[in-house]
Each structure stands twice: as C-alpha cells, then as structure tokens.
Amino acid sequence: MEWIAAHSIKVRDLEDPALLRPALEALSLRLDGGKAAENTTRRKRMVLSNVLRYTVEEKGLLTASPLPRVDWTPPESDDEINFRYVPDPALARSLLGAVRDSGARGEHLHAFFGCLYYAAMRPGEIVALRESDCTLPPTHPRP
C-alpha cells in the first residue's frame, strides 16, 4: 500500500487537465503497447468518466469532472471488418463442407465454424453450447 500511495497522484490533483491526458492516452493502448480497439477505448473512457463523476457527486473530492475540459479524441483504429475478406454464404458453405469432409475431427470443427459463421458466436460460447441449448426444426434429421 505504501508503494501505491507513493506512486499515485491525489484525486484532487486531477483537476489539472494535464494530469488527465496521460490517463486518456493509456486507455487507448493494450497491455502490450499496441492500439486498443475503438470499442475498448470508448468503454474505458466511459468507466473513467463514471469514476470522476463519483468523486464529484458522492465523495466531494472534486468540484467538477475535469474530463470535459480535456481536448482529447481517441486515435483512429484499423480494427474494422473489411467485408472483402468475409466469405459470402456460398463460399462459407463450400469451406464448411471441405472441413466436414476432412475426417472425424473435421465433423467436429464443421459445427464449430458453422456456429462462428452463421450464429456469430464467440469461441467460448460455442465450446459451452449443448444440444439442449438448441431448438431445431422438427424435420431436422437427428445425428
């Protein structure tokens, strides 16, 4: 705790916008120093804004939030999806068929990649997916 106290600035010192700018810059970086995704930066800035509002409204440590006084915009990111590289439905069916036909492991991965493409699920959601979670049409052949 002593180290944290020695290496932290006081909340009231945040009224100086120059001290807030490095915090905003840090929000736009990943832990490895690369640029964070735009949504990540926006979410972190919202959390910082909420913390500063809490220090004003609930704790009375600041007279006003200093965030609006800082002229800062997040850096542009290039994490947008380039739809030239997203397969169309026909190509996706072809790719999924090739995966399915590549053996026993391919049958398993066929379902995995199908969930990625058709349901836009995250890998962790797919791993946790169970047959009981699904509602299949009554005419669907059971495996």
mmCIF file of all heavy atoms in Angstrom, residues 73-107:
data_model
loop_
_atom_site.group_PDB
_atom_site.id
_atom_site.type_symbol
_atom_site.label_atom_id
_atom_site.label_comp_id
_atom_site.label_asym_id
_atom_site.label_seq_id
_atom_site.Cartn_x
_atom_site.Cartn_y
_atom_site.Cartn_z
ATOM 1 N N THR A 73 -9.296 13.225 -28.384
ATOM 2 C CA THR A 73 -10.089 12.263 -29.143
ATOM 3 C C THR A 73 -9.271 10.991 -29.270
ATOM 4 O O THR A 73 -8.047 11.045 -29.428
ATOM 5 C CB THR A 73 -10.436 12.791 -30.548
ATOM 6 O OG1 THR A 73 -9.230 13.178 -31.204
ATOM 7 C CG2 THR A 73 -11.389 13.962 -30.497
ATOM 8 N N PRO A 74 -9.921 9.836 -29.182
ATOM 9 C CA PRO A 74 -9.177 8.592 -29.284
ATOM 10 C C PRO A 74 -8.536 8.457 -30.664
ATOM 11 O O PRO A 74 -9.089 8.942 -31.653
ATOM 12 C CB PRO A 74 -10.224 7.506 -29.061
ATOM 13 C CG PRO A 74 -11.531 8.171 -28.946
ATOM 14 C CD PRO A 74 -11.333 9.641 -28.983
ATOM 15 N N PRO A 75 -7.376 7.836 -30.728
ATOM 16 C CA PRO A 75 -6.725 7.660 -32.035
ATOM 17 C C PRO A 75 -7.563 6.744 -32.927
ATOM 18 O O PRO A 75 -8.285 5.872 -32.441
ATOM 19 C CB PRO A 75 -5.377 7.024 -31.686
ATOM 20 C CG PRO A 75 -5.537 6.464 -30.328
ATOM 21 C CD PRO A 75 -6.605 7.258 -29.643
ATOM 22 N N GLU A 76 -7.458 6.959 -34.216
ATOM 23 C CA GLU A 76 -8.155 6.110 -35.174
ATOM 24 C C GLU A 76 -7.624 4.690 -35.059
ATOM 25 O O GLU A 76 -6.438 4.468 -34.831
ATOM 26 C CB GLU A 76 -7.915 6.622 -36.599
ATOM 27 C CG GLU A 76 -8.461 8.005 -36.864
ATOM 28 C CD GLU A 76 -9.920 7.969 -37.244
ATOM 29 O OE1 GLU A 76 -10.349 6.981 -37.865
ATOM 30 O OE2 GLU A 76 -10.628 8.931 -36.922
ATOM 31 N N SER A 77 -8.519 3.739 -35.198
ATOM 32 C CA SER A 77 -8.067 2.343 -35.181
ATOM 33 C C SER A 77 -8.446 1.697 -36.501
ATOM 34 O O SER A 77 -9.344 2.143 -37.202
ATOM 35 C CB SER A 77 -8.686 1.593 -33.999
ATOM 36 O OG SER A 77 -10.067 1.445 -34.194
ATOM 37 N N ASP A 78 -7.742 0.652 -36.832
ATOM 38 C CA ASP A 78 -7.992 -0.047 -38.088
ATOM 39 C C ASP A 78 -8.578 -1.436 -37.830
ATOM 40 O O ASP A 78 -8.319 -2.371 -38.554
ATOM 41 C CB ASP A 78 -6.709 -0.161 -38.897
ATOM 42 C CG ASP A 78 -5.592 -0.835 -38.119
ATOM 43 O OD1 ASP A 78 -5.782 -1.134 -36.929
ATOM 44 O OD2 ASP A 78 -4.521 -1.070 -38.713
ATOM 45 N N ASP A 79 -9.410 -1.531 -36.787
ATOM 46 C CA ASP A 79 -9.951 -2.832 -36.414
ATOM 47 C C ASP A 79 -11.320 -3.106 -37.038
ATOM 48 O O ASP A 79 -12.002 -4.027 -36.644
ATOM 49 C CB ASP A 79 -10.034 -2.963 -34.887
ATOM 50 C CG ASP A 79 -10.997 -1.968 -34.263
ATOM 51 O OD1 ASP A 79 -11.314 -0.973 -34.914
ATOM 52 O OD2 ASP A 79 -11.416 -2.206 -33.118
ATOM 53 N N GLU A 80 -11.708 -2.304 -38.020
ATOM 54 C CA GLU A 80 -12.991 -2.535 -38.663
ATOM 55 C C GLU A 80 -12.923 -3.781 -39.534
ATOM 56 O O GLU A 80 -11.869 -4.135 -40.063
ATOM 57 C CB GLU A 80 -13.381 -1.337 -39.523
ATOM 58 C CG GLU A 80 -13.720 -0.108 -38.721
ATOM 59 C CD GLU A 80 -14.195 1.022 -39.598
ATOM 60 O OE1 GLU A 80 -14.777 0.741 -40.663
ATOM 61 O OE2 GLU A 80 -13.979 2.166 -39.224
ATOM 62 N N ILE A 81 -14.056 -4.411 -39.716
ATOM 63 C CA ILE A 81 -14.123 -5.591 -40.563
ATOM 64 C C ILE A 81 -14.083 -5.146 -42.016
ATOM 65 O O ILE A 81 -14.836 -4.279 -42.435
ATOM 66 C CB ILE A 81 -15.415 -6.388 -40.291
ATOM 67 C CG1 ILE A 81 -15.394 -6.940 -38.870
ATOM 68 C CG2 ILE A 81 -15.604 -7.497 -41.305
ATOM 69 C CD1 ILE A 81 -16.683 -7.603 -38.458
ATOM 70 N N ASN A 82 -13.194 -5.744 -42.774
ATOM 71 C CA ASN A 82 -13.127 -5.483 -44.199
ATOM 72 C C ASN A 82 -13.940 -6.581 -44.874
ATOM 73 O O ASN A 82 -13.534 -7.733 -44.923
ATOM 74 C CB ASN A 82 -11.679 -5.500 -44.677
ATOM 75 C CG ASN A 82 -11.569 -5.074 -46.126
ATOM 76 O OD1 ASN A 82 -12.521 -5.171 -46.897
ATOM 77 N ND2 ASN A 82 -10.393 -4.610 -46.500
ATOM 78 N N PHE A 83 -15.110 -6.222 -45.383
ATOM 79 C CA PHE A 83 -16.030 -7.212 -45.905
ATOM 80 C C PHE A 83 -15.539 -7.874 -47.187
ATOM 81 O O PHE A 83 -16.122 -8.851 -47.639
ATOM 82 C CB PHE A 83 -17.423 -6.599 -46.083
ATOM 83 C CG PHE A 83 -18.086 -6.336 -44.765
ATOM 84 C CD1 PHE A 83 -18.085 -5.073 -44.201
ATOM 85 C CD2 PHE A 83 -18.669 -7.372 -44.065
ATOM 86 C CE1 PHE A 83 -18.673 -4.849 -42.969
ATOM 87 C CE2 PHE A 83 -19.255 -7.154 -42.828
ATOM 88 C CZ PHE A 83 -19.261 -5.898 -42.287
ATOM 89 N N ARG A 84 -14.444 -7.384 -47.761
ATOM 90 C CA ARG A 84 -13.868 -8.091 -48.914
ATOM 91 C C ARG A 84 -13.283 -9.431 -48.484
ATOM 92 O O ARG A 84 -13.074 -10.309 -49.303
ATOM 93 C CB ARG A 84 -12.779 -7.244 -49.562
ATOM 94 C CG ARG A 84 -13.318 -5.993 -50.237
ATOM 95 C CD ARG A 84 -12.204 -5.188 -50.823
ATOM 96 N NE ARG A 84 -11.329 -4.741 -49.737
ATOM 97 C CZ ARG A 84 -10.251 -4.009 -49.894
ATOM 98 N NH1 ARG A 84 -9.889 -3.642 -51.100
ATOM 99 N NH2 ARG A 84 -9.526 -3.634 -48.868
ATOM 100 N N TYR A 85 -13.003 -9.584 -47.180
ATOM 101 C CA TYR A 85 -12.382 -10.811 -46.684
ATOM 102 C C TYR A 85 -13.354 -11.704 -45.927
ATOM 103 O O TYR A 85 -12.954 -12.721 -45.384
ATOM 104 C CB TYR A 85 -11.177 -10.468 -45.793
ATOM 105 C CG TYR A 85 -10.131 -9.696 -46.547
ATOM 106 C CD1 TYR A 85 -9.970 -8.334 -46.348
ATOM 107 C CD2 TYR A 85 -9.332 -10.313 -47.489
ATOM 108 C CE1 TYR A 85 -9.020 -7.607 -47.050
ATOM 109 C CE2 TYR A 85 -8.382 -9.604 -48.197
ATOM 110 C CZ TYR A 85 -8.225 -8.254 -47.974
ATOM 111 O OH TYR A 85 -7.295 -7.549 -48.685
ATOM 112 N N VAL A 86 -14.619 -11.332 -45.849
ATOM 113 C CA VAL A 86 -15.623 -12.159 -45.209
ATOM 114 C C VAL A 86 -16.265 -13.007 -46.294
ATOM 115 O O VAL A 86 -16.758 -12.471 -47.289
ATOM 116 C CB VAL A 86 -16.696 -11.297 -44.499
ATOM 117 C CG1 VAL A 86 -17.791 -12.166 -43.912
ATOM 118 C CG2 VAL A 86 -16.049 -10.461 -43.417
ATOM 119 N N PRO A 87 -16.244 -14.332 -46.145
ATOM 120 C CA PRO A 87 -16.808 -15.168 -47.217
ATOM 121 C C PRO A 87 -18.315 -14.974 -47.348
ATOM 122 O O PRO A 87 -19.015 -14.814 -46.356
ATOM 123 C CB PRO A 87 -16.472 -16.594 -46.777
ATOM 124 C CG PRO A 87 -16.213 -16.511 -45.319
ATOM 125 C CD PRO A 87 -15.723 -15.122 -45.046
ATOM 126 N N ASP A 88 -18.783 -15.001 -48.605
ATOM 127 C CA ASP A 88 -20.222 -14.936 -48.830
ATOM 128 C C ASP A 88 -20.819 -16.308 -48.483
ATOM 129 O O ASP A 88 -20.082 -17.273 -48.263
ATOM 130 C CB ASP A 88 -20.539 -14.505 -50.257
ATOM 131 C CG ASP A 88 -20.033 -15.478 -51.313
ATOM 132 O OD1 ASP A 88 -19.859 -16.677 -51.010
ATOM 133 O OD2 ASP A 88 -19.805 -15.040 -52.450
ATOM 134 N N PRO A 89 -22.142 -16.414 -48.393
ATOM 135 C CA PRO A 89 -22.760 -17.684 -47.970
ATOM 136 C C PRO A 89 -22.354 -18.894 -48.816
ATOM 137 O O PRO A 89 -22.120 -19.976 -48.283
ATOM 138 C CB PRO A 89 -24.260 -17.402 -48.069
ATOM 139 C CG PRO A 89 -24.367 -15.927 -47.834
ATOM 140 C CD PRO A 89 -23.150 -15.348 -48.488
ATOM 141 N N ALA A 90 -22.235 -18.732 -50.125
ATOM 142 C CA ALA A 90 -21.857 -19.866 -50.981
ATOM 143 C C ALA A 90 -20.431 -20.331 -50.666
ATOM 144 O O ALA A 90 -20.178 -21.539 -50.547
ATOM 145 C CB ALA A 90 -21.988 -19.484 -52.451
ATOM 146 N N LEU A 91 -19.515 -19.393 -50.533
ATOM 147 C CA LEU A 91 -18.137 -19.755 -50.206
ATOM 148 C C LEU A 91 -18.054 -20.354 -48.814
ATOM 149 O O LEU A 91 -17.327 -21.328 -48.581
ATOM 150 C CB LEU A 91 -17.219 -18.535 -50.326
ATOM 151 C CG LEU A 91 -15.743 -18.772 -50.026
ATOM 152 C CD1 LEU A 91 -15.163 -19.850 -50.935
ATOM 153 C CD2 LEU A 91 -14.963 -17.471 -50.176
ATOM 154 N N ALA A 92 -18.819 -19.806 -47.860
ATOM 155 C CA ALA A 92 -18.824 -20.347 -46.500
ATOM 156 C C ALA A 92 -19.309 -21.796 -46.502
ATOM 157 O O ALA A 92 -18.716 -22.656 -45.840
ATOM 158 C CB ALA A 92 -19.702 -19.497 -45.589
ATOM 159 N N ARG A 93 -20.390 -22.080 -47.255
ATOM 160 C CA ARG A 93 -20.881 -23.468 -47.347
ATOM 161 C C ARG A 93 -19.814 -24.383 -47.923
ATOM 162 O O ARG A 93 -19.603 -25.495 -47.453
ATOM 163 C CB ARG A 93 -22.147 -23.529 -48.204
ATOM 164 C CG ARG A 93 -23.407 -23.247 -47.448
ATOM 165 C CD ARG A 93 -24.649 -23.605 -48.279
ATOM 166 N NE ARG A 93 -24.705 -22.903 -49.555
ATOM 167 C CZ ARG A 93 -25.175 -21.666 -49.720
ATOM 168 N NH1 ARG A 93 -25.647 -20.998 -48.677
ATOM 169 N NH2 ARG A 93 -25.186 -21.104 -50.903
ATOM 170 N N SER A 94 -19.114 -23.902 -48.950
ATOM 171 C CA SER A 94 -18.059 -24.692 -49.583
ATOM 172 C C SER A 94 -16.912 -24.957 -48.603
ATOM 173 O O SER A 94 -16.420 -26.082 -48.490
ATOM 174 C CB SER A 94 -17.541 -23.952 -50.814
ATOM 175 O OG SER A 94 -16.434 -24.596 -51.350
ATOM 176 N N LEU A 95 -16.494 -23.922 -47.889
ATOM 177 C CA LEU A 95 -15.410 -24.085 -46.911
ATOM 178 C C LEU A 95 -15.824 -25.018 -45.779
ATOM 179 O O LEU A 95 -15.053 -25.887 -45.358
ATOM 180 C CB LEU A 95 -15.009 -22.725 -46.343
ATOM 181 C CG LEU A 95 -14.321 -21.759 -47.309
ATOM 182 C CD1 LEU A 95 -14.227 -20.370 -46.706
ATOM 183 C CD2 LEU A 95 -12.958 -22.279 -47.702
ATOM 184 N N LEU A 96 -17.048 -24.851 -45.289
ATOM 185 C CA LEU A 96 -17.533 -25.720 -44.212
ATOM 186 C C LEU A 96 -17.643 -27.165 -44.682
ATOM 187 O O LEU A 96 -17.335 -28.096 -43.929
ATOM 188 C CB LEU A 96 -18.885 -25.224 -43.686
ATOM 189 C CG LEU A 96 -18.828 -23.945 -42.859
ATOM 190 C CD1 LEU A 96 -20.223 -23.393 -42.632
ATOM 191 C CD2 LEU A 96 -18.127 -24.187 -41.542
ATOM 192 N N GLY A 97 -18.061 -27.362 -45.933
ATOM 193 C CA GLY A 97 -18.124 -28.722 -46.483
ATOM 194 C C GLY A 97 -16.750 -29.362 -46.564
ATOM 195 O O GLY A 97 -16.583 -30.543 -46.262
ATOM 196 N N ALA A 98 -15.746 -28.585 -46.962
ATOM 197 C CA ALA A 98 -14.377 -29.111 -47.040
ATOM 198 C C ALA A 98 -13.865 -29.488 -45.654
ATOM 199 O O ALA A 98 -13.186 -30.510 -45.487
ATOM 200 C CB ALA A 98 -13.463 -28.081 -47.687
ATOM 201 N N VAL A 99 -14.206 -28.690 -44.654
ATOM 202 C CA VAL A 99 -13.799 -29.010 -43.282
ATOM 203 C C VAL A 99 -14.480 -30.296 -42.831
ATOM 204 O O VAL A 99 -13.850 -31.210 -42.295
ATOM 205 C CB VAL A 99 -14.126 -27.842 -42.314
ATOM 206 C CG1 VAL A 99 -13.983 -28.261 -40.867
ATOM 207 C CG2 VAL A 99 -13.240 -26.647 -42.607
ATOM 208 N N ARG A 100 -15.796 -30.400 -43.072
ATOM 209 C CA ARG A 100 -16.571 -31.574 -42.655
ATOM 210 C C ARG A 100 -16.035 -32.847 -43.295
ATOM 211 O O ARG A 100 -15.946 -33.892 -42.650
ATOM 212 C CB ARG A 100 -18.042 -31.380 -43.035
ATOM 213 C CG ARG A 100 -18.937 -32.530 -42.621
ATOM 214 C CD ARG A 100 -20.324 -32.447 -43.227
ATOM 215 N NE ARG A 100 -20.213 -32.435 -44.677
ATOM 216 C CZ ARG A 100 -20.735 -31.499 -45.469
ATOM 217 N NH1 ARG A 100 -21.433 -30.515 -44.967
ATOM 218 N NH2 ARG A 100 -20.574 -31.538 -46.777
ATOM 219 N N ASP A 101 -15.621 -32.765 -44.564
ATOM 220 C CA ASP A 101 -15.169 -33.940 -45.295
ATOM 221 C C ASP A 101 -13.728 -34.322 -45.008
ATOM 222 O O ASP A 101 -13.203 -35.264 -45.610
ATOM 223 C CB ASP A 101 -15.357 -33.709 -46.798
ATOM 224 C CG ASP A 101 -16.816 -33.522 -47.175
ATOM 225 O OD1 ASP A 101 -17.693 -33.949 -46.384
ATOM 226 O OD2 ASP A 101 -17.075 -32.943 -48.248
ATOM 227 N N SER A 102 -13.083 -33.636 -44.082
ATOM 228 C CA SER A 102 -11.665 -33.913 -43.809
ATOM 229 C C SER A 102 -11.448 -34.938 -42.694
ATOM 230 O O SER A 102 -10.341 -35.085 -42.215
ATOM 231 C CB SER A 102 -10.926 -32.617 -43.488
ATOM 232 O OG SER A 102 -11.378 -32.076 -42.264
ATOM 233 N N GLY A 103 -12.482 -35.638 -42.267
ATOM 234 C CA GLY A 103 -12.331 -36.690 -41.268
ATOM 235 C C GLY A 103 -13.147 -36.430 -40.025
ATOM 236 O O GLY A 103 -13.960 -35.506 -39.965
ATOM 237 N N ALA A 104 -12.910 -37.282 -39.010
ATOM 238 C CA ALA A 104 -13.688 -37.194 -37.767
ATOM 239 C C ALA A 104 -13.515 -35.841 -37.079
ATOM 240 O O ALA A 104 -14.476 -35.255 -36.585
ATOM 241 C CB ALA A 104 -13.289 -38.317 -36.824
ATOM 242 N N ARG A 105 -12.305 -35.363 -37.048
ATOM 243 C CA ARG A 105 -12.062 -34.060 -36.420
ATOM 244 C C ARG A 105 -12.753 -32.945 -37.210
ATOM 245 O O ARG A 105 -13.239 -31.975 -36.660
ATOM 246 C CB ARG A 105 -10.553 -33.805 -36.320
ATOM 247 C CG ARG A 105 -10.183 -32.542 -35.612
ATOM 248 C CD ARG A 105 -10.381 -32.687 -34.133
ATOM 249 N NE ARG A 105 -9.903 -31.493 -33.462
ATOM 250 C CZ ARG A 105 -10.466 -30.974 -32.395
ATOM 251 N NH1 ARG A 105 -11.487 -31.573 -31.840
ATOM 252 N NH2 ARG A 105 -9.991 -29.895 -31.854
ATOM 253 N N GLY A 106 -12.794 -33.121 -38.532
ATOM 254 C CA GLY A 106 -13.435 -32.144 -39.388
ATOM 255 C C GLY A 106 -14.927 -32.028 -39.121
ATOM 256 O O GLY A 106 -15.495 -30.944 -39.204
ATOM 257 N N GLU A 107 -15.574 -33.143 -38.786
ATOM 258 C CA GLU A 107 -17.001 -33.099 -38.468
ATOM 259 C C GLU A 107 -17.239 -32.235 -37.229
ATOM 260 O O GLU A 107 -18.193 -31.468 -37.168
ATOM 261 C CB GLU A 107 -17.549 -34.503 -38.249
ATOM 262 C CG GLU A 107 -17.625 -35.321 -39.514
ATOM 263 C CD GLU A 107 -18.152 -36.719 -39.271
ATOM 264 O OE1 GLU A 107 -18.743 -36.971 -38.205
ATOM 265 O OE2 GLU A 107 -17.967 -37.556 -40.166
#
